[in-house]
mmCIF file with all atom_site columns, all heavy atoms in Angstrom:
data_model
loop_
_atom_site.group_PDB
_atom_site.id
_atom_site.type_symbol
_atom_site.label_atom_id
_atom_site.label_alt_id
_atom_site.label_comp_id
_atom_site.label_asym_id
_atom_site.label_entity_id
_atom_site.label_seq_id
_atom_site.pdbx_PDB_ins_code
_atom_site.Cartn_x
_atom_site.Cartn_y
_atom_site.Cartn_z
_atom_site.occupancy
_atom_site.B_iso_or_equiv
_atom_site.pdbx_formal_charge
_atom_site.auth_seq_id
_atom_site.auth_comp_id
_atom_site.auth_asym_id
_atom_site.auth_atom_id
_atom_site.pdbx_PDB_model_num
ATOM 1  N N   . THR P 1 25  ? -11.151 -56.618 8.340   1.00 0.00 ? 27  THR P N   1
ATOM 2  C CA  . THR P 1 25  ? -11.225 -56.817 9.849   1.00 0.00 ? 27  THR P CA  1
ATOM 3  C C   . THR P 1 25  ? -11.918 -55.577 10.456  1.00 0.00 ? 27  THR P C   1
ATOM 4  O O   . THR P 1 25  ? -12.002 -54.439 9.849   1.00 0.00 ? 27  THR P O   1
ATOM 5  C CB  . THR P 1 25  ? -9.800  -57.006 10.447  1.00 0.00 ? 27  THR P CB  1
ATOM 6  O OG1 . THR P 1 25  ? -8.957  -55.886 10.033  1.00 0.00 ? 27  THR P OG1 1
ATOM 7  C CG2 . THR P 1 25  ? -9.237  -58.305 9.988   1.00 0.00 ? 27  THR P CG2 1
ATOM 8  N N   . ILE P 1 37  ? -8.462  -65.012 11.962  1.00 0.00 ? 39  ILE P N   1
ATOM 9  C CA  . ILE P 1 37  ? -9.111  -63.856 12.587  1.00 0.00 ? 39  ILE P CA  1
ATOM 10 C C   . ILE P 1 37  ? -10.168 -64.334 13.547  1.00 0.00 ? 39  ILE P C   1
ATOM 11 O O   . ILE P 1 37  ? -11.031 -65.198 13.219  1.00 0.00 ? 39  ILE P O   1
ATOM 12 C CB  . ILE P 1 37  ? -9.824  -62.932 11.540  1.00 0.00 ? 39  ILE P CB  1
ATOM 13 C CG1 . ILE P 1 37  ? -8.749  -62.458 10.488  1.00 0.00 ? 39  ILE P CG1 1
ATOM 14 C CG2 . ILE P 1 37  ? -10.531 -61.826 12.155  1.00 0.00 ? 39  ILE P CG2 1
ATOM 15 C CD1 . ILE P 1 37  ? -9.360  -61.758 9.313   1.00 0.00 ? 39  ILE P CD1 1
ATOM 16 N N   . GLN P 1 73  ? -11.907 -40.121 12.622  1.00 0.00 ? 75  GLN P N   1
ATOM 17 C CA  . GLN P 1 73  ? -10.435 -40.307 12.628  1.00 0.00 ? 75  GLN P CA  1
ATOM 18 C C   . GLN P 1 73  ? -9.829  -39.979 11.296  1.00 0.00 ? 75  GLN P C   1
ATOM 19 O O   . GLN P 1 73  ? -8.698  -39.508 11.197  1.00 0.00 ? 75  GLN P O   1
ATOM 20 C CB  . GLN P 1 73  ? -10.059 -41.736 12.957  1.00 0.00 ? 75  GLN P CB  1
ATOM 21 C CG  . GLN P 1 73  ? -10.307 -42.075 14.476  1.00 0.00 ? 75  GLN P CG  1
ATOM 22 C CD  . GLN P 1 73  ? -9.466  -41.212 15.396  1.00 0.00 ? 75  GLN P CD  1
ATOM 23 O OE1 . GLN P 1 73  ? -8.354  -40.867 15.095  1.00 0.00 ? 75  GLN P OE1 1
ATOM 24 N NE2 . GLN P 1 73  ? -9.990  -40.833 16.523  1.00 0.00 ? 75  GLN P NE2 1
ATOM 25 N N   . GLN P 1 112 ? -29.065 -61.484 -21.816 1.00 0.00 ? 114 GLN P N   1
ATOM 26 C CA  . GLN P 1 112 ? -28.757 -61.205 -20.460 1.00 0.00 ? 114 GLN P CA  1
ATOM 27 C C   . GLN P 1 112 ? -28.218 -59.781 -20.285 1.00 0.00 ? 114 GLN P C   1
ATOM 28 O O   . GLN P 1 112 ? -27.272 -59.322 -20.950 1.00 0.00 ? 114 GLN P O   1
ATOM 29 C CB  . GLN P 1 112 ? -27.782 -62.185 -19.806 1.00 0.00 ? 114 GLN P CB  1
ATOM 30 C CG  . GLN P 1 112 ? -27.516 -61.950 -18.351 1.00 0.00 ? 114 GLN P CG  1
ATOM 31 C CD  . GLN P 1 112 ? -26.488 -62.890 -17.768 1.00 0.00 ? 114 GLN P CD  1
ATOM 32 O OE1 . GLN P 1 112 ? -25.794 -63.548 -18.510 1.00 0.00 ? 114 GLN P OE1 1
ATOM 33 N NE2 . GLN P 1 112 ? -26.386 -62.940 -16.488 1.00 0.00 ? 114 GLN P NE2 1
ATOM 34 N N   . ILE P 1 152 ? -32.538 -51.808 -25.815 1.00 0.00 ? 154 ILE P N   1
ATOM 35 C CA  . ILE P 1 152 ? -31.864 -50.616 -26.408 1.00 0.00 ? 154 ILE P CA  1
ATOM 36 C C   . ILE P 1 152 ? -30.386 -50.597 -26.199 1.00 0.00 ? 154 ILE P C   1
ATOM 37 O O   . ILE P 1 152 ? -29.731 -49.785 -26.870 1.00 0.00 ? 154 ILE P O   1
ATOM 38 C CB  . ILE P 1 152 ? -32.518 -49.317 -25.826 1.00 0.00 ? 154 ILE P CB  1
ATOM 39 C CG1 . ILE P 1 152 ? -32.242 -49.209 -24.333 1.00 0.00 ? 154 ILE P CG1 1
ATOM 40 C CG2 . ILE P 1 152 ? -33.999 -49.229 -26.138 1.00 0.00 ? 154 ILE P CG2 1
ATOM 41 C CD1 . ILE P 1 152 ? -32.653 -47.890 -23.760 1.00 0.00 ? 154 ILE P CD1 1
ATOM 42 N N   . GLY P 1 159 ? -23.249 -49.685 -20.945 1.00 0.00 ? 161 GLY P N   1
ATOM 43 C CA  . GLY P 1 159 ? -23.918 -48.376 -20.795 1.00 0.00 ? 161 GLY P CA  1
ATOM 44 C C   . GLY P 1 159 ? -23.796 -47.891 -19.323 1.00 0.00 ? 161 GLY P C   1
ATOM 45 O O   . GLY P 1 159 ? -23.454 -48.656 -18.451 1.00 0.00 ? 161 GLY P O   1
ATOM 46 N N   . PRO P 1 228 ? -31.035 -29.436 -13.184 1.00 0.00 ? 230 PRO P N   1
ATOM 47 C CA  . PRO P 1 228 ? -30.459 -29.765 -14.531 1.00 0.00 ? 230 PRO P CA  1
ATOM 48 C C   . PRO P 1 228 ? -29.985 -31.192 -14.604 1.00 0.00 ? 230 PRO P C   1
ATOM 49 O O   . PRO P 1 228 ? -29.639 -31.739 -13.538 1.00 0.00 ? 230 PRO P O   1
ATOM 50 C CB  . PRO P 1 228 ? -29.274 -28.748 -14.587 1.00 0.00 ? 230 PRO P CB  1
ATOM 51 C CG  . PRO P 1 228 ? -29.525 -27.698 -13.575 1.00 0.00 ? 230 PRO P CG  1
ATOM 52 C CD  . PRO P 1 228 ? -30.323 -28.386 -12.509 1.00 0.00 ? 230 PRO P CD  1
ATOM 53 N N   . ALA P 1 249 ? -24.777 -22.929 11.626  1.00 0.00 ? 251 ALA P N   1
ATOM 54 C CA  . ALA P 1 249 ? -24.176 -22.683 12.971  1.00 0.00 ? 251 ALA P CA  1
ATOM 55 C C   . ALA P 1 249 ? -22.817 -21.970 12.782  1.00 0.00 ? 251 ALA P C   1
ATOM 56 O O   . ALA P 1 249 ? -22.468 -21.107 13.607  1.00 0.00 ? 251 ALA P O   1
ATOM 57 C CB  . ALA P 1 249 ? -23.964 -24.019 13.653  1.00 0.00 ? 251 ALA P CB  1
ATOM 58 N N   . ASP P 1 259 ? -21.964 -17.488 -1.068  1.00 0.00 ? 261 ASP P N   1
ATOM 59 C CA  . ASP P 1 259 ? -21.904 -18.954 -1.303  1.00 0.00 ? 261 ASP P CA  1
ATOM 60 C C   . ASP P 1 259 ? -20.994 -19.166 -2.450  1.00 0.00 ? 261 ASP P C   1
ATOM 61 O O   . ASP P 1 259 ? -21.342 -18.823 -3.574  1.00 0.00 ? 261 ASP P O   1
ATOM 62 C CB  . ASP P 1 259 ? -23.311 -19.501 -1.505  1.00 0.00 ? 261 ASP P CB  1
ATOM 63 C CG  . ASP P 1 259 ? -23.303 -20.997 -1.627  1.00 0.00 ? 261 ASP P CG  1
ATOM 64 O OD1 . ASP P 1 259 ? -22.282 -21.652 -1.469  1.00 0.00 ? 261 ASP P OD1 1
ATOM 65 O OD2 . ASP P 1 259 ? -24.457 -21.568 -1.798  1.00 0.00 ? 261 ASP P OD2 1
ATOM 66 N N   . ALA P 1 273 ? -28.155 -16.161 1.290   1.00 0.00 ? 275 ALA P N   1
ATOM 67 C CA  . ALA P 1 273 ? -26.933 -15.533 0.741   1.00 0.00 ? 275 ALA P CA  1
ATOM 68 C C   . ALA P 1 273 ? -27.269 -14.358 -0.135  1.00 0.00 ? 275 ALA P C   1
ATOM 69 O O   . ALA P 1 273 ? -28.302 -14.321 -0.818  1.00 0.00 ? 275 ALA P O   1
ATOM 70 C CB  . ALA P 1 273 ? -26.171 -16.544 -0.095  1.00 0.00 ? 275 ALA P CB  1
ATOM 71 N N   . LEU P 1 298 ? -30.831 -11.949 -4.865  1.00 0.00 ? 300 LEU P N   1
ATOM 72 C CA  . LEU P 1 298 ? -29.605 -12.764 -4.954  1.00 0.00 ? 300 LEU P CA  1
ATOM 73 C C   . LEU P 1 298 ? -28.835 -12.423 -6.212  1.00 0.00 ? 300 LEU P C   1
ATOM 74 O O   . LEU P 1 298 ? -29.287 -12.484 -7.255  1.00 0.00 ? 300 LEU P O   1
ATOM 75 C CB  . LEU P 1 298 ? -29.970 -14.254 -4.959  1.00 0.00 ? 300 LEU P CB  1
ATOM 76 C CG  . LEU P 1 298 ? -28.846 -15.308 -5.131  1.00 0.00 ? 300 LEU P CG  1
ATOM 77 C CD1 . LEU P 1 298 ? -27.908 -15.253 -3.996  1.00 0.00 ? 300 LEU P CD1 1
ATOM 78 C CD2 . LEU P 1 298 ? -29.400 -16.654 -5.406  1.00 0.00 ? 300 LEU P CD2 1
ATOM 79 N N   . ASP P 1 370 ? -12.424 -23.578 14.516  1.00 0.00 ? 372 ASP P N   1
ATOM 80 C CA  . ASP P 1 370 ? -13.179 -23.696 15.767  1.00 0.00 ? 372 ASP P CA  1
ATOM 81 C C   . ASP P 1 370 ? -13.685 -25.062 16.037  1.00 0.00 ? 372 ASP P C   1
ATOM 82 O O   . ASP P 1 370 ? -13.678 -25.526 17.189  1.00 0.00 ? 372 ASP P O   1
ATOM 83 C CB  . ASP P 1 370 ? -14.319 -22.687 15.704  1.00 0.00 ? 372 ASP P CB  1
ATOM 84 C CG  . ASP P 1 370 ? -13.865 -21.269 15.581  1.00 0.00 ? 372 ASP P CG  1
ATOM 85 O OD1 . ASP P 1 370 ? -12.921 -20.946 16.275  1.00 0.00 ? 372 ASP P OD1 1
ATOM 86 O OD2 . ASP P 1 370 ? -14.476 -20.492 14.833  1.00 0.00 ? 372 ASP P OD2 1
ATOM 87 N N   . VAL P 1 384 ? -15.732 -39.762 3.217   1.00 0.00 ? 386 VAL P N   1
ATOM 88 C CA  . VAL P 1 384 ? -16.060 -38.929 4.425   1.00 0.00 ? 386 VAL P CA  1
ATOM 89 C C   . VAL P 1 384 ? -16.341 -37.497 4.022   1.00 0.00 ? 386 VAL P C   1
ATOM 90 O O   . VAL P 1 384 ? -15.614 -36.911 3.226   1.00 0.00 ? 386 VAL P O   1
ATOM 91 C CB  . VAL P 1 384 ? -14.918 -38.992 5.411   1.00 0.00 ? 386 VAL P CB  1
ATOM 92 C CG1 . VAL P 1 384 ? -15.153 -38.002 6.551   1.00 0.00 ? 386 VAL P CG1 1
ATOM 93 C CG2 . VAL P 1 384 ? -14.796 -40.433 5.940   1.00 0.00 ? 386 VAL P CG2 1
#
Side-chain angles (χ1 to χ4, degrees):
T27 55
I39 301 170
Q75 290 299 325
Q114 182 183 14
I154 64 175
D261 187 358
L300 174 66
D372 298 319
V386 171

